[in-house]
């Protein structure tokens, strides 16, 4: 008895799904879903940073501006029932058209189709291999076709794989992993020779898509066993099985190393930590029947929803790692760099006051901002995005600005023989060198040699005075006197120490 292999298009339209269950309350969705064409399937980033979405129903490709998260321009017509597409290093997009048995080649600079490559066999998904060429899985023919992206022609003969091949991905070691939905295994291909390596790797039920983690492992989403198989690409053995949501169709790995599955049956996305191979947090609710997803360099996740005809945009809550420098003056104006994840669109407060000049890098991992004025002491740094906030408690310390001071002593006016004082006081003036203003209320010490002549506070003009008459003998014996200011902290600044020496002058 032979099994009739359904065309991919029929599976997309009629795949039996369990009764829909309520998803957890949305806590991470940041942006309203983006309406696209009917029955969106695959999606891929193009060199401009925008996003292509293959609309299976109307046979076209929508373009989403990732700067505004809106559709731009008119849809690009392609072949019959486009599925999972990819973008080659030359910038062209390759769109497998399942029912027309072709691959449309789109120039992403002009958004126009520049070639149509006949394949047959129900093209399902495309993946880039190290040579820059494209692998296309042929769902009905149980093969993989190689396309030369320089000439846009088929290379060699199709590579036989398992039954119902769909997703494919290439590990850092150059081996391609192809999910065979009906034979419940993964075929390994040496991309340097385009030949099958070893025997197929058994995985879960109906493997549909695969992504490569930062550790080089392959993560395979299994539709009906509701789990992800983890393959060690060195040994080609399954090393872990991770339960996820219901009917995971798509899987992708983000720049932070986490993997994400699009769970078509439970209308949500599961997050997997690829270091521990465990699920992180609760599922993230999205649209109706999510089927594929990609992760942008800034950490935003785009998910195609097959039945609600839109793309969900997920921005995860921000995470903060560090801030440099960690201190600056209370007057503000310190340019700081804050590092972390998921920082796109962030605002920043320090000590509860908004920072200025806030800018975020394209990857959403670094913020540059200028500190506002603050109160001396530790201050909490808080980053807010549309999906939440994060803080570095006491991450920045405000310190009083340091002001240099100058202390000027007036000469002692005296006569040695016979001893005579022409002015009854020794005076010294303390000035703030930053503001140029006199400093009041600070103690000035007057000495002659090892003898303290007296200590006096500066008045409103910054002048301190001690009696010269009583100390004349010591001043004369030491050839003058010295004044010193030990430094001080005021509500507005830290004043630096200063000193001066004054001679004896006979009028």
């Amino acid at each position: 008895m032979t099994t009739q292999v359904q065309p991919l298009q029929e599976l997309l339209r009629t795949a039996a799904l369990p009764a829909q269950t309520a998803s957890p309350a949305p806590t991470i969705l940041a942006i309203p879903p983006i309406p696209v064409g009917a029955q969106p399937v695959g999606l891929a980033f193009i060199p401009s940073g925008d996003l292509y979405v293959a609309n299976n129903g109307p046979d076209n490709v929508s373009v989403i501006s990732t700067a505004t998260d809106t559709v731009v321009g008119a849809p690009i017509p392609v072949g019959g029932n486009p599925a999972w597409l990819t973008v080659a290093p030359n910038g062209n997009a390759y769109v497998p058209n399942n029912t027309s048995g072709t691959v449309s080649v789109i120039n992403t600079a002009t958004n126009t189709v520049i070639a149509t490559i006949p394949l047959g066999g129900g093209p399902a998904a495309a993946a880039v291999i190290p040579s820059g060429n494209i692998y296309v899985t042929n769902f009905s023919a149980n093969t993989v076709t190689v396309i030369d992206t320089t000439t846009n022609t088929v290379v060699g003969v199709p590579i036989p794989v398992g039954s119902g091949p769909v997703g494919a991905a290439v590990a850092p070691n150059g081996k391609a992993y192809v999910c065979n939905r009906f034979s419940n295994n993964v075929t390994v291909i040496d991309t340097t020779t385009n030949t099958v390596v070893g025997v197929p790797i058994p995985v879960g039920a109906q493997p549909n898509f695969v992504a490569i983690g930062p550790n080089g492992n392959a993560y395979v989403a299994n539709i009906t066993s509701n789990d992800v198989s983890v393959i060690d690409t060195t040994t080609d053995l399954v090393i872990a099985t991770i339960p996820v949501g219901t009917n995971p169709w798509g899987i992708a790995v983000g720049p932070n190393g986490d993997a994400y599955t699009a769970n078509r049956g439970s209308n949500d996305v599961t997050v997997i930590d690829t270091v521990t191979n465990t699920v992180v947090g609760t599922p993230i609710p999205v649209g109706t029947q999510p089927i594929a997803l990609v992760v942008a360099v800034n950490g935003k996740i785009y998910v195609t929803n097959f039945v609600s005809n839109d793309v969900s945009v997920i921005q995860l809550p921000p995470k903060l790692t560090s801030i440099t420098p960690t201190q600056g003056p209370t007057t503000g104006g310190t340019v700081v760099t804050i590092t972390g994840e998921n920082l796109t669109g962030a605002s920043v407060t320090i000590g509860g006051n908004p920072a200025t000049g806030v800018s975020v890098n394209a990857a959403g991992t670094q913020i540059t901002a200028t500190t506002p004025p603050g109160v001396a002491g530790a201050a909490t740094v808080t980053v807010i995005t549309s999906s939440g906030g994060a803080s570095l408690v006491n991450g920045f310390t405000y310190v009083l600005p340091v002001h240099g001071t100058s202390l000027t002593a007036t000469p002692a006016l005296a006569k040695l023989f016979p001893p005579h004082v022409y002015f009854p006081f020794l005076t010294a003036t303390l000035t703030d060198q930053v503001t140029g203003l006199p400093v009041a209320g600070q103690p000035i010490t007057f000495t002659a040699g090892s003898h303290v002549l007296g200590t006096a506070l500066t008045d409103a003009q910054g002048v301190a005075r001690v009696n010269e008459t009583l100390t004349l003998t010591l001043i004369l014996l030491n050839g003058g006197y010295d004044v010193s200011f030990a430094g001080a902290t005021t509500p507005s600044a830290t004043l630096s120490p200063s000193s001066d020496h004054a001679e004896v002058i006979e009028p």
Side-chain angles (χ1 to χ4, degrees):
M1 179 178 177
T2 59
T3 300
Q4 180 66 38
V5 177
Q6 266 187 303
L8 177 65
Q9 176 61 16
E10 288 303 309
L11 285 174
L12 287 172
R13 292 187 187 281
T14 63
L17 297 175
Q20 301 299 299
T21 56
S23 296
T27 57
I28 301 179
L29 276 178
I31 301 166
I34 307 167
V36 289
Q39 298 172 335
V41 183
L43 63 177
F45 291 105
I46 63 176
S48 68
D50 288 344
L51 187 64
Y52 273 6
V53 179
N55 301 308
N56 193 263
D59 302 336
N60 59 32
V61 171
S62 295
V63 185
I64 293 176
S65 165
T66 54
T68 61
D69 287 324
T70 57
V71 171
V72 293
I76 306 166
V78 289
N81 304 128
W84 286 273
L85 71 160
T86 195
V87 176
N90 62 11
N92 291 338
Y94 289 76
V95 186
N97 305 305
N98 181 248
T99 56
S100 60
T102 61
V103 171
S104 297
V105 184
I106 302 175
N107 181 322
T108 59
T110 61
N111 290 333
T112 56
V113 173
I114 59 173
T116 300
I117 307 168
L119 294 188
V128 179
I129 64 176
S131 66
N133 289 340
I134 300 294
Y135 273 3
V136 179
T137 56
N138 303 304
F139 185 78
S140 301
N142 302 330
T143 60
V144 170
T145 298
V146 184
I147 294 176
D148 184 326
T149 55
T150 303
T151 61
N152 288 328
T153 57
V154 172
V155 177
V157 297
I159 306 166
V161 290
S163 178
V166 187
V170 181
N173 59 13
K175 293 189 292 187
Y177 292 78
V178 180
C179 296
N180 304 309
R181 187 187 295 179
F182 294 124
S183 51
N184 297 332
N185 57 29
V186 171
T187 297
V188 183
I189 300 174
D190 183 337
T191 59
T192 60
T193 61
N194 291 330
T195 56
V196 172
V197 177
V199 297
I201 305 167
V203 289
Q206 293 199 354
N208 193 63
F209 233 82
V210 57
I212 307 299
N215 52 14
N217 290 341
Y219 289 76
V220 180
N222 304 304
I223 294 175
T224 54
S225 56
N226 304 323
D227 55 28
V228 169
S229 299
V230 184
I231 299 173
D232 182 327
T233 57
T234 302
T235 63
D236 287 338
L237 297 174
V238 173
I239 59 173
T241 300
I242 308 167
V244 291
T246 306
N247 298 142
W249 275 58
I251 189 165
V253 175
N256 65 354
D258 287 345
Y260 306 89
T261 62
N263 305 313
R264 189 175 180 185
S266 49
N267 296 335
D268 56 29
V269 169
T270 297
V271 184
I272 297 172
D273 182 334
T274 59
V275 175
T276 60
N277 288 332
T278 56
V279 170
V280 177
T282 57
I284 305 167
V286 288
T288 307
Q289 294 194 18
I291 201 168
L293 70 174
V294 291
V295 186
V297 293
N298 62 10
K300 286 200 296 187
I301 305 165
Y302 293 82
V303 187
T304 52
N305 302 304
F306 189 74
V307 171
S308 52
N309 303 326
D310 54 26
V311 172
S312 294
V313 185
I314 301 170
Q315 182 171 345
L316 298 174
K319 297 179 182 179
L320 301 184
T321 304
S322 65
I323 180 173
T324 54
T326 57
Q327 67 176 35
T330 54
T331 53
T334 302
V335 177
V336 295
T337 299
I338 303 167
T339 58
E341 298 176 11
N342 312 318
L343 306 179
T344 299
S347 61
V348 179
T349 61
I350 300 178
N353 299 313
T356 58
V358 176
S359 64
V360 185
N361 68 350
T365 58
Q366 188 176 91
I367 298 173
T368 301
T370 302
T371 61
V375 178
T380 294
V381 179
T382 299
V383 170
I384 301 293
T385 70
S386 55
S387 61
S391 296
L392 294 171
V393 177
N394 297 334
F396 186 81
T397 300
Y398 279 108
V399 295
L400 292 169
V402 177
H403 288 191
T405 62
S406 63
L407 188 60
T408 304
T410 56
L413 301 179
K415 183 177 180 181
L416 186 57
F417 298 107
H420 180 71
V421 174
Y422 289 93
F423 190 74
F425 293 103
L426 304 175
T427 64
T429 303
L430 182 64
T431 304
D432 185 324
Q433 289 185 316
V434 173
T435 65
L437 299 174
V439 181
Q442 298 300 325
I444 308 299
T445 300
F446 293 73
T447 59
S450 60
H451 302 280
V452 176
L453 306 179
T455 299
L457 295 178
T458 54
D459 61 16
Q461 286 73 46
V463 178
R465 298 174 176 84
V466 298
N467 193 299
E468 180 181 359
T469 305
L470 301 178
T471 58
L472 175 61
T473 303
L474 291 174
I475 294 171
L476 294 176
L477 289 175
N478 287 278
Y481 69 99
D482 296 290
V483 291
S484 62
F485 169 59
T489 298
T490 71
S492 60
T494 296
L495 302 176
S496 297
S498 54
S499 61
D500 194 22
H501 174 77
E503 302 289 339
V504 177
I505 298 178
E506 183 177 344

